[in-house]
Amino acid sequence: MTNVTRPFNFSAGPAMLPKPVLEQALAEMINWHSSGMAVMEMSHRSPEFKLIAEQAQRNLRDVLAIPDNYKVLFLQGGASTQFSMIPMNLLRGSKEADYFNTGMWSKKAIAEAKRYCKVNIPVDSTDNKFTTVAEIDNLNPNAAYVHYTPNETIHGLEFHNIPEVGDVPLVADMSSTLLSRPIDISKYGLIYAGAQKNIGSAGLTLVIIREDLVGHAMPNTPTMLNYKTHVDSDSMYNTPPTYSWYIAGLVFKWIKNTGGLIEMGKRNKRKADILYATIDNSEFYNNPVAPAYRSWMNVPFILKNPELDKIFLTEAKEASLLTLSGHRSIGGMRASIYNAMPEEGVQALIDFMIDFEKRKG
Ligand SMILES: *Cc1c(COP(=O)(O)O)cnc(C)c1O
């Protein structure tokens, strides 16, 4: 089983998982650690699952160096549910919040927040078609929090520095960038991420929240949408996504054993650098994002002649390079190169792109 060669899958999510993680999951599938049970068959209240859950949290805290005054929650509902939980829990009596608008996912978060409060937009990249980020110059002093999307998965736009927002809690949708490099958690009030990009399998949503922001939900907040419910019950108020929690735990351990986030960051930067260089050195491929904001995780590009898109995708698939078509809303191509994408995968894509250009350019 270990020597099966797998194609390189550039899916934006659900995305590739590290091969050692899949192999361990396979080895443990039917009988986890001599328990006689598959992880999927365990009660979430059993001592076995408790161990899995606690180890996962410990390894995540280690890998991200999460300070003690932050809680880690393992929830369901995807990042999209956080779009409503955030205003419901963090407005704390205020009626205003700041949201950066830097792409499709920002927009969705904004649309949901508008149901609960007045949204001020201190940074709007609509006019440059989400290819860069202007200076932040009008933060609202009355905002209960500032929300932004550090990596826009669809447009391939990423912040490489944490925005300066003073004492207002900074909230970040890190769905497609968490664990891609070291980050300073203490700069944030709340971080959330769906697992299916860079963390594990779909069905799990991670929330990292500073303690003082817990316990201020709006009066009519449903129990399941109140962070306090999940903090008070160690994310076991109801049945959590046990298998996804377990897979995420294997990924955290894999990161730890592979050199942690410093090593992930180095690898990810190298992968992104060689792919963008290939695009920039060609007359045939183009990426419109300003170099300072190019994503290390999602690299969208277009072909000079869009009539070749279909052929590019077909031939790429034949060359074992999967899921390269761009998001349905913007077309073109997109290579998602999260932690699990090996450097050989990016090199194989580059070799294919150069050869394709030679033949069709
Ligand atoms: C994928 C993604 C989402 C949506 O996640 P779901 O878990 O499907 O709700 C939100 N934000 C960003 C940045 C994403 O990449």
Side-chain angles (χ1 to χ4, degrees), residues 198-213:
N198 206 25
I199 296 167
S201 55
L204 169 72
T205 312
L206 281 184
V207 172
I208 302 168
I209 181 170
R210 212 174 62 208
E211 272 170 355
D212 61 285
L213 296 173

Side-chain angles (χ1 to χ4, degrees), residues 11-26:
S11 171
M16 243 179 131
L17 284 164
K19 199 163 165 231
V21 165
L22 294 176
E23 283 163 354
Q24 189 176 346
L26 176 65

Side-chain angles (χ1 to χ4, degrees), residues 77-81 83 105 149 151-153 173 175-176 194 196-197 205:
S80 303
T81 298
F83 296 164
W105 290 114
T149 310
N151 185 64
E152 287 282 358
T153 320
D173 174 359
S175 291
S176 49
Q196 68 275 20
K197 285 24 186 290
T205 312

Side-chain angles (χ1 to χ4, degrees), residues 151-330:
N151 185 64
E152 287 282 358
T153 320
I154 295 171
H155 300 277
L157 177 142
E158 182 160 19
F159 287 75
H160 294 284
N161 294 296
I162 303 175
E164 231 359 287
V165 298
D167 291 334
V168 182
L170 183 60
V171 176
D173 174 359
M174 293 212 182
S175 291
S176 49
T177 186
L178 191 67
L179 303 178
S180 68
R181 70 187 85 183
I183 50 161
D184 183 354
I185 302 282
S186 72
K187 294 269 199 278
Y188 293 90
L190 186 151
I191 291 167
Y192 63 103
Q196 68 275 20
K197 285 24 186 290
N198 206 25
I199 296 167
S201 55
L204 169 72
T205 312
L206 281 184
V207 172
I208 302 168
I209 181 170
R210 212 174 62 208
E211 272 170 355
D212 61 285
L213 296 173
V214 177
H216 310 284
M218 293 164 41
N220 287 331
T221 303
T223 307
M224 278 296 288
L225 301 187
N226 190 332
Y227 292 123
K228 191 168 180 347
T229 303
H230 303 290
V231 166
D232 289 349
S233 60
D234 293 325
S235 306
M236 302 238 187
Y237 174 76
N238 71 330
T239 317
T242 51
Y243 198 74
S244 297
W245 192 330
Y246 157 75
I247 293 288
L250 297 185
V251 171
F252 304 151
K253 208 171 71 191
W254 172 77
I255 292 174
K256 218 168 140 175
N257 295 341
T258 312
L261 294 185
I262 292 178
E263 179 60 22
M264 291 297 134
K266 282 185 191 157
R267 290 180 183 193
N268 288 326
K269 179 164 191 327
R270 280 200 299 266
K271 290 187 290 182
D273 280 351
I274 55 172
L275 186 49
Y276 285 114
T278 305
I279 294 167
D280 289 345
N281 290 335
S282 113
E283 297 287 312
F284 187 74
Y285 303 106
N286 183 54
N287 169 288
V289 179
Y293 286 97
R294 281 176 168 176
S295 169
W296 290 2
M297 296 281 99
N298 312 95
V299 181
F301 59 94
I302 52 164
L303 274 52
K304 197 166 81 182
N305 177 3
E307 280 169 19
L308 292 172
D309 283 3
K310 248 187 155 149
I311 248 192
F312 181 93
L313 291 167
T314 309
E315 290 191 10
K317 194 169 176 190
E318 283 162 10
S320 294
L321 307 166
L322 311 183
T323 333
L324 281 162
S325 66
H327 189 267
R328 60 195 188 293
S329 62
I330 59 172

